[in-house]
Amino acid sequence: MYAQMVKTGVSAVKTREEMSEQERAFQARIDAGEKIEPKDWMPDEYRKTLIRQIGQHAHSEVVGQLPEGNWITRAPTLERKAILLAKVQDEAGHGLYLYCAAETLGISRDEMIEMLHAGKMKYSSIFNYPTLNWADIGAIGWLVDGAAIMNQVPLQRTSYGPYSRAMIRICKEESFHQRQGYDIMMKMAAGSPEQKAMAQDALNRFWYPSLMMFGPSDKESVHSAQSMAWKIKINTNDELRQKFVDQTVPQAEYLGLKVPDEALRWNEDKGGYDFSEPDWNEFFEVLRGNGPCNRDRMRARVKAWEDGAWFREGLLAHGEKRAARRLKTAA
Ligand SMILES: [Fe+2]
Ligand SMILES: [Fe+2]
């Protein structure tokens, strides 16, 4: 999935005069389009912001498996089950690339997971909504992975090397995710009246939570400026949201479904749609832990972590044994 841009940076951007010599050289490298690598010098805030952003992103990939995993055993055909399984496994892989990318900044995966479980690190608000019918799996692929792509494609050019390389690989897989979701929506929308109604219901419930995925509106997003100067963030939340709406509305029309927004209108002057903002109170409530599924999601993650402890310990013990054996042979 992806990182929701909430509180991912410091508020004020230093002017060149306020920067130290080292900071100026660092900024110059970023401005020249160079990648920053793990062993390079970097400002503390750059490191912290990236750990928070990549960590949130990794958690989102992993927690994002839960709403879809819910439907693996109930997929309508063997083919759909195989596709969904592959998709959910991809999300686990995305989590792994991203945890590895974050680890290059000097934090361990265990520490990040501990922080997630303690509520000190976030994941994307979208995964706190339930998946109530099979069309929800279509809507998630189409809208949620679609929003993720919108957000992640520019991040392929982000300044931190390991993050940028992880994004390149992830984006390739996200396109497949979106296609499989839209394919489900096409089948449902062209199916029986009941199936079409399910598709419409899924769009109704996932539309606004998908718009929220881009984070609060630019007016409220005080942390953006520094992240943009550091090329940790490439576009503003509102720019990406607009792009997403402009891309998605014709797709909904093609399906014969109605976007649940009475104010939605093409605006010739701006060359894009005017649309209603999501309910930001709901968004902040979900972030605070009060969404429909926050507690379930955390409970499932903590249980999976605890149930897997024996395996992680076994793997470590095996690794140590092998290392000891190698030492002996070398001696
Ligand atoms: Fe993903
Ligand atoms: Fe995905």
Side-chain angles (χ1 to χ4, degrees), residues 1-2 61 90-91 94 145 152 170 174 177:
M1 234 16 79
Y2 98 118
E61 301 282 353
D90 280 356
E91 304 300 4
H94 297 175
D145 291 90
Q152 288 172 177
I170 288 175
E174 293 300 353
H177 297 174

Side-chain angles (χ1 to χ4, degrees), residues 29-74:
R29 289 187 61 196
I30 291 186
D31 294 343
E34 273 180 50
K35 294 282 177 242
I36 307 300
E37 297 298 336
K39 291 202 164 63
D40 297 347
W41 182 86
M42 61 186 84
D44 256 4
E45 276 303 326
Y46 177 85
R47 183 186 300 276
K48 276 192 211 147
T49 306
L50 269 175
I51 288 178
R52 196 156 45 213
Q53 182 172 328
I54 304 175
Q56 268 186 28
H57 193 159
H59 295 324
S60 301
E61 301 282 353
V62 172
V63 178
Q65 295 177 98
L66 294 170
E68 289 179 294
N70 183 33
W71 280 88
I72 290 174
T73 53
R74 291 176 286 162

Side-chain angles (χ1 to χ4, degrees), residues 13-299:
V13 186
K14 282 190 188 173
T15 61
R16 280 187 61 78
E17 290 66 44
E18 289 165 342
M19 289 181 194
S20 67
E21 197 52 48
Q22 227 169 2
E23 285 170 332
R24 258 196 298 272
F26 177 80
Q27 189 63 50
R29 289 187 61 196
I30 291 186
D31 294 343
E34 273 180 50
K35 294 282 177 242
I36 307 300
E37 297 298 336
K39 291 202 164 63
D40 297 347
W41 182 86
M42 61 186 84
D44 256 4
E45 276 303 326
Y46 177 85
R47 183 186 300 276
K48 276 192 211 147
T49 306
L50 269 175
I51 288 178
R52 196 156 45 213
Q53 182 172 328
I54 304 175
Q56 268 186 28
H57 193 159
H59 295 324
S60 301
E61 301 282 353
V62 172
V63 178
Q65 295 177 98
L66 294 170
E68 289 179 294
N70 183 33
W71 280 88
I72 290 174
T73 53
R74 291 176 286 162
T77 65
L78 181 60
E79 194 193 3
R80 289 292 179 199
K81 190 197 286 268
I83 295 171
L84 183 58
L85 255 177
K87 195 239 185 213
V88 172
Q89 279 177 347
D90 280 356
E91 304 300 4
H94 297 175
L96 294 187
Y97 312 152
L98 289 163
Y99 284 128
C100 288
E103 282 187 315
T104 63
L105 291 157
I107 187 166
S108 73
R109 195 191 305 182
D110 286 11
E111 281 173 278
M112 286 182 273
I113 288 174
E114 236 168 66
M115 285 164 81
L116 171 73
H117 293 175
K120 290 185 193 144
M121 267 180 114
K122 304 264 181 233
Y123 57 91
S124 178
S125 58
I126 189 81
F127 304 117
N128 293 308
Y129 291 86
T131 41
L132 303 177
N133 78 46
W134 171 252
D136 288 9
I137 300 306
I140 288 182
W142 172 35
L143 301 173
V144 177
D145 291 90
I149 295 172
M150 205 52 94
N151 195 47
Q152 288 172 177
V153 163
L155 284 177
Q156 295 178 107
R157 292 180 283 118
T158 192
S159 61
Y160 189 55
Y163 192 27
S164 136
R165 289 187 288 273
M167 279 298 107
I168 291 171
R169 189 154 168 190
I170 288 175
C171 280
K172 288 192 181 130
E173 293 176 351
E174 293 300 353
S175 330
F176 150 65
H177 297 174
Q178 194 196 18
R179 288 285 297 274
Q180 66 85 38
Y182 195 68
D183 189 60
I184 293 176
M185 293 307 274
M186 285 207 295
K187 286 266 157 36
M188 299 289 285
S192 67
E194 288 82 3
Q195 285 173 314
K196 188 167 183 186
M198 282 163 78
Q200 182 64 57
D201 174 48
L203 172 57
N204 292 348
R205 282 179 291 106
F206 277 96
W207 176 253
Y208 288 104
S210 300
L211 297 189
M212 292 176 196
M213 285 178 68
F214 299 96
S217 92
D218 295 347
K219 305 184 283 285
E220 313 221 0
S221 195
V222 288
H223 303 287
S224 291
Q226 181 63 75
S227 287
M228 289 185 82
W230 278 333
K231 294 191 190 159
I232 292 175
K233 187 171 174 164
I234 313 282
N235 303 90
T236 73
N237 298 352
D238 286 338
E239 275 168 20
L240 291 170
R241 195 168 7 252
Q242 180 72 52
K243 244 180 129 180
F244 174 76
V245 171
D246 293 344
Q247 175 187 287
T248 310
V249 170
Q251 294 171 347
E253 281 167 3
Y254 182 78
L255 292 171
L257 299 179
K258 192 177 174 313
V259 172
D261 179 359
E262 291 305 327
L264 186 77
R265 247 166 226 87
W266 178 256
N267 180 332
E268 197 59 53
D269 295 339
K270 75 171 181 189
Y273 286 92
D274 290 332
F275 58 94
S276 307
E277 294 218 0
D279 175 354
W280 292 116
N281 287 333
E282 175 184 323
F283 171 73
F284 287 113
E285 271 307 298
V286 174
L287 278 193
R288 248 176 246 129
N290 301 323
C293 299
N294 295 57
R295 283 168 195 83
D296 275 6
R297 301 295 185 233
M298 266 311 98
R299 212 177 299 127

